[in-house]
Structures are given as structure tokens and as C-alpha cells.
């Protein structure tokens, strides 16, 4: 594996890992923060509400009754005094002040007395309030409210410690932070494992692609597993390699076959050209024969090159697809063939023969079939028939069948299966002009248009040869030519 690929794979895995960990961290932090904030707010508000209720009840009590410092003394053992009725159930601490703010009954711990508290102790109106939100006593913090007893008789200080609650909330905060950190680390590890699992097949697929690019070998096995998008990508890549390999093999065979077929006319041309140097020494009949042979060989070589170009273009033809009426195509081909050969060519059209295809390729396929029939039906007694039938029996709607029928010598049973092979020529046809590529082009056009070629013997002599278009399954083979 190259360094570039390692870097790319590492980057992909790192991206998955960081993304997963980041999402988990954001969600965890958000949930942790909201949970802690809600819990802290609930605890603080609850404590403040309880303390405010105690203070308010105390104010109501001292206003309704004329109470003195002794009524709140901690020495009250029968628990029937104001202290037990109001203060004790609220889990607050109490310190009682006498006139002038003197401490009569200290709290636990003793609370500091400041000027505002002394003023409340000397206040004439009962229920006068002096509040302190944060009072430090030793290592603890209290919220303190001083309520005047009225008439200068003193005051009662009510205190609620909140530092222990804050310590508890701080501990909860620390644990929340630790939990968030643990979740982030765990999500990062899980994200790394998940990224490795997800990218494992991508890594293998990338390795296969790089092996193909490095070695040029298209037969490399592509690992495919599962049914998700990565598996679909692997299967598509495998099919693409298969098509490329088949195309490469077809190209190699075409070059080999073309080289073999070109060798004969080129050799003949070289021989005849060498004779041109002595043309003055040849008798008139030999000169005419030499010139005619040169013309024939050059014509056959031209036809062979043209057919090779058409065959090499094959399915890669860039001609746009449009609606083509094969019945009209057959009529046009028949007109040209009648003019060239003087033969009687009859066209019969049945049904809807319009298809979506490449007009030039389809016209060449029909023309090759007709020219093949004209070449082999040398008797010329019977008309050559071109039958175009819409909606191929057994095929899907929109399929069309093209048949060319002649009364020539027919095709031997042993040659039917190879009739559409490139450069193949039956033994009795090798003396006739041609390259053996015409029917190969018919096959390529038919397959490229979702059909298939076919050929079979005709009752009474001759052959039926043609192709279908638009029938994905193709017709039942009656023999191949």
C-alpha cells in the first residue's frame, strides 16, 4: 500500500473518528450541562423558598403575638415555644438577640451581629427585617435574616447554611465533567472502531483499483460483500473491470484477425505492383488481367478497411439515439440494392416497426443482410424478400424483427453456428468477394440495440437471416450465421 493511500485512508478514518467523537461530545456536554443546571437550580430555589417561608412565618408570628427573647430560648424543653413551632422543622439555625443587639442565646455556630442586626433588635415595629445573603462563619457560608420582636425587645436571627449544598453541587459538577470526558473518550474509541469497520471494504476496493492502475491487469478479483452502498460500488467496479477486460480481449482479437485478413490482399497487391515494373514486357491480355486484378484487390482492401472501422466503432458509436422506422429503412436499402444489382427485392412490413436506435447503424445492418443475400443468391431467379415485423412474438412490446429471405445455396448446418463470427467464411464462399465482417457488424448492431441475430435454413432452399431489435431476452435461436 502506497504512502499516499495510507494517508488518504488514515484521513478518512480520522474524519469518521473525530466526527463521531465530536457529535458524542457535543451531545454529552449539552445534556450534562442542562442536567446539572436544572438540578442546581432546583436545589438552590428549593432552599431559598424554604428559608423565605420560615422568615415570613416568623414575621407573622411576632406581629400577631407580643413575644420576647425568652420565647425563642433553646432552653425550652417542652417544645411548645415559638422556636419549635416555626424554626426547628425548617432545619435552620437560630440566634436570639436582646435589646441593643446583645446575644441572649447564641446559635450553633454563633452568628456575627452587625449594625443592621442591632437596629432590628431596637426597632419598635415587630417583624422589621434585615437580610444578609452571604455571611461567612468559619469555613461555612450562611444566608441570615434578622426579624425584630418589636418594642426594642430584641430580635431573632434565622440562618440557613448553603455552603454544604454548594459543595455537593461542585462535586456533582466534577463528576459530570469526568463523565463527559469518559463518554468522549469512549465515543472516540467506538468511532475509531466503527470507522475502521466501515472503511475496511473501501480500503480493499481502493487497493484493487490501485493494483489495476499500477499493473494494468483487469482480471484482479474485486472483494464484494454485503448489500449496502459499498457493496454496490464493489459490484459496479467488478462489472466495469469485466467489461473493460472483455473490450480489451475483443480489441486484441480484432487486431489479430484484421492483421491476418489484411495480409492476403496486401501480399497480392505487392506481387502485382512488382509486376508493374515489367508491364511493358507483358502481352496485352496479361496487362489487362494485371490491371483488373489490382482494381479488384484495392476494392476489396477498401471494403475490408471500411468494415473494420465500422466494426471497431461497435457500441461506442456516438451517433445520437432517435426514433427509427425499420420499415422505411428496409425500403430505402431495397431501392439502393435494386439499383446496384438489378435484382428484384420485395419488402413486406407488418405492424408498428418504429424503434429507438441509431439510424446509421441500423441501416448498415439491414444493408449488410441484403448485400449478403444478393452475393450468395447468384441464380437471380427468385426475388429476395425483406420482411419487417413489429412486436416480436414472445418479445416485449416495441420489439421489431427484420428477416431477409433468399433462394441461394443456403448455409451448411456446420456453418450456421459461426455465421456471425468475425472474418468467418464458409468453404463454398471463400472464392467470392468479401471480408467475413458484414454479418459480424449485424450482430454488433443487434446486440447494441437490445436484440440478437439469427439464421436458419429456408424451406425449399435458401436461407432466412436477420436480427431483432428491442427484445432484451432475444428470440429463440433457430441457428446462428
Amino acid at each position: 500500500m502506497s504512502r499516499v493511500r495510507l494517508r488518504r485512508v488514515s484521513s478518512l478514518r480520522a474524519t469518521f473518528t473525530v466526527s463521531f467523537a465530536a457529535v458524542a461530545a457535543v451531545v454529552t456536554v449539552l445534556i450534562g450541562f442542562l442536567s446539572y443546571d436544572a438540578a442546581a437550580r432546583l436545589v438552590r430555589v428549593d432552599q431559598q423558598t424554604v428559608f423565605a417561608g420560615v422568615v415570613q412565618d416568623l414575621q407573622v408570628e411576632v406581629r400577631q403575638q407580643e413575644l420576647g427573647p425568652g420565647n425563642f430560648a433553646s432552653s425550652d424543653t417542652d417544645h411548645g415555644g415559638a422556636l419549635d413551632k416555626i424554626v426547628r422543622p425548617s432545619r435552620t439555625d437560630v440566634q436570639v438577640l436582646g435589646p441593643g443587639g446583645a446575644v441572649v442565646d447564641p446559635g450553633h455556630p454563633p452568628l456575627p451581629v452587625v449594625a443592621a442586626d442591632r437596629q432590628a433588635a431596637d426597632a419598635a415595629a415587630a417583624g422589621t427585617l434585615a437580610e444578609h445573603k452571604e455571611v461567612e462563619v468559619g469555613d461555612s457560608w450562611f444566608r441570615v435574616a434578622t426579624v425584630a420582636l418589636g418594642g426594642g425587645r430584641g430580635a431573632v436571627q434565622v440562618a440557613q447554611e448553603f455552603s454544604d449544598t454548594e459543595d455537593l453541587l461542585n462535586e456533582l459538577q466534577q463528576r459530570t465533567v469526568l463523565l463527559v470526558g469518559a463518554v468522549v473518550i469512549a465515543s472516540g474509541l467506538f468511532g475509531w472502531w466503527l470507522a475502521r469497520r466501515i472503511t475496511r471494504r473501501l480500503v480493499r476496493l481502493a487497493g484493487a483499483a490501485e493494483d489495476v492502475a499500477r499493473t494494468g491487469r483487469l482480471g484482479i478479483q474485486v472483494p464484494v460483500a454485503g448489500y449496502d452502498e459499498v457493496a454496490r460500488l464493489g459490484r459496479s467496479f467488478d462489472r466495469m473491470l469485466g467489461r473493460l477486460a472483455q473490450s480489451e480481449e475483443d480489441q486484441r482479437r480484432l487486431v489479430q484477425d484484421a492483421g491476418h485478413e489484411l495480409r492476403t490482399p496486401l501480399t497480392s497487391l505487392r506481387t502485382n505492383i512488382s509486376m508493374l515494373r515489367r508491364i511493358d514486357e507483358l502481352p496485352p491480355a496479361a496487362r489487362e488481367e494485371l490491371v483488373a486484378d489490382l482494381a479488384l484487390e484495392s476494392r476489396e482492401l477498401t471494403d475490408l478497411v471500411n468494415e473494420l472501422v465500422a466494426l471497431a466503432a461497435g457500441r461506442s458509436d456516438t451517433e445520437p439515439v432517435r426514433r427509427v422506422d425499420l420499415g422505411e429503412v428496409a425500403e430505402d436499402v431495397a431501392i439502393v440494392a435494386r439499383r446496384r444489382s438489378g435484382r428484384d427485392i420485395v419488402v413486406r412490413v407488418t405492424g408498428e416497426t418504429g424503434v429507438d436506435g441509431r439510424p446509421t447503424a441500423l441501416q448498415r445492418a439491414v444493408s449488410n443482410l441484403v448485400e449478403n443475400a444478393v452475393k450468395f443468391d447468384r441464380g437471380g431467379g427468385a426475388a429476395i424478400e425483406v420482411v419487417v415485423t413489429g412486436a416480436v412474438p414472445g418479445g416485449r412490446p416495441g420489439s421489431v424483427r427484420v428477416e431477409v429471405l433468399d433462394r441461394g445455396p443456403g448455409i451448411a448446418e456446420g456453418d450456421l453456428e459461426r455465421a456471425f463470427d468475425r472474418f468467418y467464411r464458409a468453404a463454398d464462399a471463400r472464392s467470392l468477394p468479401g471480408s467475413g465482417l458484414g454479418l459480424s457488424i449485424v450482430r454488433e448492431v443487434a446486440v447494441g440495440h437490445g436484440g440478437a441475430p439469427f439464421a436458419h435454413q429456408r424451406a425449399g432452399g435458401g436461407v432466412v437471416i436477420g436480427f431483432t431489435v428491442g427484445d432484451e431476452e432475444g428470440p429463440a435461436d433457430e441457428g446462428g450465421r
Side-chain angles (χ1 to χ4, degrees), residues 147-162:
V147 179
L149 297 177
R153 293 188 298 274
V156 177
Q157 286 185 303
V158 181
Q160 183 186 58
E161 184 180 359
F162 62 85

Side-chain angles (χ1 to χ4, degrees), residues 360-385:
T360 303
L362 291 171
Q363 184 173 17
R364 182 170 183 82
V366 177
S367 178
N368 284 359
L369 290 178
V370 175
E371 290 176 1
N372 186 74
V374 170
K375 180 173 62 175
F376 284 96
D377 187 2
R378 297 186 293 274
I384 294 173
E385 301 178 30

Side-chain angles (χ1 to χ4, degrees), residues 24 171 179 204 236 276 415 454:
E171 184 178 356
L179 179 61
R204 292 200 298 264
S236 299
L276 287 177
D415 294 328
F454 60 88

Side-chain angles (χ1 to χ4, degrees), residues 274-284 286-287 290:
S274 66
M275 293 294 295
L276 287 177
R277 298 175 182 175
R278 302 170 51 199
I279 192 170
D280 294 335
E281 303 175 7
L282 298 177
R287 294 179 188 178
L290 177 61

Side-chain angles (χ1 to χ4, degrees), residues 122-143:
D122 292 335
T128 301
L129 181 64
E131 286 187 292
H132 310 285
K133 294 184 178 180
E134 295 182 357
V135 177
E136 184 179 7
V137 181
D139 296 331
S140 301
W141 290 86
F142 292 81
R143 59 175 59 90

Side-chain angles (χ1 to χ4, degrees), residues 412-433:
E413 290 295 335
D415 294 328
L416 280 173
E417 295 182 356
R418 301 189 59 190
F420 292 97
D421 290 348
R422 293 175 182 173
F423 301 105
Y424 181 76
R425 305 181 70 190
D428 57 352
R430 290 172 186 168
S431 60
L432 298 175

